[in-house]
Amino acid sequence: MRSFAVSALDEPPFPPRRHAETDLAAEASLAWAQELGLITNGDRLIRLRGAAAAELAGRTCPDAADERLRLLTDLVTWLFVVDDACDEDGLGAAPTRLAPAVADLLEVLDRHGAPGKPGRGPLGDALDDLCRRTRAQGSPALLLRFVGQVRDYLLALLWEAANREHRRVPGVAEYVQLRRHTGAVHPAFTLTDLAYDAPPAAARRVEPALVDVETLAADLVCWCNDLFSYDKENQSGPDAHNLVSAIAAETGQDEPAALRAAADRFNRTLAVYAEREAALLADDPTVGPFLAARSNWVRATYDWSTRAARYA
């Protein structure tokens, strides 16, 4: 299936780049995960190493200060650990199983990285560390956005768990909307903005044109992930949480047709994104860092997906 995805998807028209300290960030992030108890030596360490979180982060912010590359890499590492716990270790099999863990993590988020009370368990301790380090960067607006976006991610995981429990396949529109949150793309965008150190002012940040282009970028990241991960996710049975699965269930198309439809959707959206990015840059070059934080994520996800062992 990977060969299909590579041949069917248009290559993002953004130049690939990679941070010079990516390899160092990879080892440092694995050590961070071990120190906080997110993983131990063994299969989970091998799985996390193969996920190559730093490879993804290093391609999204190739010019960032090392400290901010580390922060983004650690966020991606934490997200991979949470996703694996939900998808492969059974935590997300039902809302009643997942809800206590989500409640603990929401309590961490409610503190907004303030000193004092630690997190609850390794996942909470690691999230508390991420919030503290984000708070220390001195950008309250980005901290508030990050906390809210991680909260959306956690609540969306409960939606996934409910679907799993009832063996429910969501419709395409519902899936596309919630996928932006289950993919945790928005908090990753926010820490990439921090890495670029030039986020737009709040008034500009909420302009419809910028909100629209960010939504398109989030969709592209998630759908690229879906196409590359489809084969692995369906090895042990159908996975409802994939664009291909949603299209197949809603339209009645067979698997090859649904795969083609998902790839076509990605390609059309990529073309629209490139057009709107060019128009925004022509109108106001100062939004360049904001757009780079999104287009680099699209390119990085494509390149990382062709290389990482996560979908093998």
Side-chain angles (χ1 to χ4, degrees):
M1 200 62 62
R2 176 170 293 189
S3 61
F4 167 82
V6 172
S7 62
L9 297 184
D10 290 341
E11 184 174 328
F14 318 116
R17 298 182 62 203
R18 185 177 186 270
H19 199 288
E21 301 300 321
T22 296
D23 294 338
L24 291 176
E27 293 306 314
S29 195
L30 285 172
W32 174 82
Q34 289 178 291
E35 288 167 7
L36 288 171
L38 289 175
I39 55 169
T40 57
N41 291 322
D43 291 343
R44 291 185 181 183
L45 175 60
I46 294 171
R47 187 167 64 190
L48 189 58
R49 187 182 293 276
E55 197 64 34
L56 187 54
R59 291 175 180 273
T60 64
C61 51
D63 301 314
D66 294 353
E67 174 190 7
R68 294 184 177 184
L69 170 64
R70 273 289 318 279
L71 179 58
L72 179 59
T73 301
D74 290 347
L75 169 65
V76 177
T77 292
W78 183 82
L79 291 169
F80 283 162
V81 172
V82 175
D83 281 356
D84 285 347
C86 289
D87 297 343
E88 308 213 13
D89 299 333
L91 182 63
T96 51
R97 182 178 299 182
L98 180 60
V102 168
D104 287 344
L105 295 174
L106 290 175
E107 183 177 355
V108 172
L109 291 174
D110 287 344
R111 296 179 49 253
H112 293 83
K117 186 178 178 182
R120 294 190 174 187
L123 286 175
D125 289 340
L127 180 59
D128 184 63
D129 183 66
L130 291 169
C131 291
R132 287 171 185 260
R133 289 157 62 193
T134 302
R135 183 187 185 100
Q137 299 300 315
S139 179
L142 284 181
L143 172 63
L144 288 170
R145 188 178 305 140
F146 174 74
V147 166
Q149 290 163 338
V150 176
R151 182 178 289 114
D152 290 342
Y153 163 70
L154 294 172
L155 296 177
L157 293 182
L158 290 171
W159 169 79
E160 282 193 332
N163 289 335
R164 288 193 189 98
E165 183 179 46
H166 295 284
R167 298 183 179 179
R168 174 180 180 268
V169 181
V172 174
E174 177 188 341
Y175 176 77
V176 167
Q177 172 61 38
L178 271 295
R179 181 69 173 100
R180 296 165 189 154
H181 301 293
T182 63
V185 184
H186 291 297
F189 283 170
T190 294
L191 290 196
T192 311
D193 283 338
L194 186 63
Y196 276 86
D197 206 20
R204 186 76 202 275
R205 176 66 180 74
V206 297
E207 288 181 5
L210 265 65
V211 172
D212 180 59
V213 80
E214 176 167 86
T215 300
L216 290 173
D219 287 342
L220 288 167
V221 169
C222 291
W223 301 345
C224 183
N225 180 289
D226 281 0
L227 280 158
F228 278 98
S229 66
Y230 179 81
D231 189 42
K232 179 183 177 183
E233 290 174 351
N234 284 270
Q235 285 176 358
S236 58
D239 185 350
H241 299 120
N242 190 291
L243 180 61
V244 178
S245 301
I247 290 172
E250 183 169 287
T251 65
Q253 293 177 326
D254 60 16
E255 182 181 79
L259 280 162
R260 286 192 295 272
D264 288 345
R265 189 181 187 114
F266 174 90
N267 293 339
R268 291 194 305 271
T269 304
L270 180 62
V272 172
Y273 176 88
E275 290 173 3
R276 294 186 185 177
E277 181 194 59
L280 283 167
L281 280 172
D283 181 62
D284 181 7
T286 66
V287 299
F290 173 88
L291 295 172
R294 277 97 191 133
S295 60
N296 279 359
W297 261 101
V298 175
R299 178 77 213 202
T301 302
Y302 179 90
D303 290 338
W304 171 81
S305 296
T306 65
R307 295 170 172 83
R310 190 167 179 81
Y311 301 145

